[in-house]
Amino acid sequence: MNTNLMAHFWTIRTFLPFLRKSRVFNGLSGSVVAIASVLGGIGTGGLQTYCSSKAGIIGLMESLYMQYTDIHWCTVSPFLINTQLFKGMRHRYMDYIYPILDKHEVSRFSQDLFNVREAYRDHAARPVPSAS
């Protein structure tokens, strides 16, 4: 919980005054990209703390988006990423709705979102696996 949710809270709280003072792009103050998870909305057995912390990130980002409209807010919510945390995990949706994602693809996708510099929010952003 401290890493997944509270790190977002304390980091945003620290930098929010600086973001609000700067006007770096079309009069907007900067960007915040947070990594949540689809599991923050649908949950799964055995990962209650993880799912709860990701739900908290989604709620935090949504409330900040509603309050601070002069900042770009984006929440990336991938499904399962091929890391040790999810090794061998199964979910009722994984075979036909959500593919297991490569961690490098998710990282590149998140960086691309940060670089786009458009004011939008996306609570269900999913990178499409590359053809390579």
Side-chain angles (χ1 to χ4, degrees):
M1 197 64 79
N2 282 335
T3 300
N4 280 343
L5 176 58
M6 295 311 294
H8 284 81
F9 175 81
W10 291 113
T11 302
I12 291 168
R13 184 175 181 197
T14 299
F15 289 99
L16 187 60
F18 302 104
L19 286 170
R20 301 223 47 230
K21 285 181 186 175
S22 67
R23 296 283 185 252
V24 295
F25 182 75
N26 287 345
L28 295 170
S29 297
S31 300
V32 176
V33 177
I35 306 298
S37 173
V38 168
L39 294 179
I42 61 174
T44 191
L47 292 173
Q48 290 83 359
T49 303
Y50 177 85
C51 295
S52 298
S53 67
K54 297 303 184 175
I57 292 168
I58 293 168
L60 173 66
M61 292 294 285
E62 179 69 17
S63 64
L64 290 167
Y65 172 83
M66 299 302 289
Q67 184 172 352
Y68 299 103
T69 58
D70 58 334
I71 296 174
H72 301 276
W73 300 98
C74 182
T75 304
V76 179
S77 294
F79 188 53
L80 299 181
I81 301 172
N82 61 351
T83 63
Q84 282 297 113
L85 177 64
F86 300 117
K87 189 172 184 161
M89 195 201 124
R90 303 289 304 156
H91 194 281
R92 62 184 167 173
Y93 300 119
M94 70 188 305
D95 291 331
Y96 54 93
I97 297 177
Y98 300 111
I100 295 177
L101 303 169
D102 177 70
K103 59 187 170 189
H104 302 293
E105 290 287 328
V106 174
S107 176
R108 280 191 293 277
F109 179 79
S110 301
Q111 290 169 359
D112 289 345
L113 284 176
F114 186 78
N115 292 328
V116 167
R117 313 290 295 183
E118 293 177 0
Y120 64 93
R121 63 186 167 149
D122 187 350
H123 286 293
R126 272 192 318 154
V128 177
S130 64
S132 59

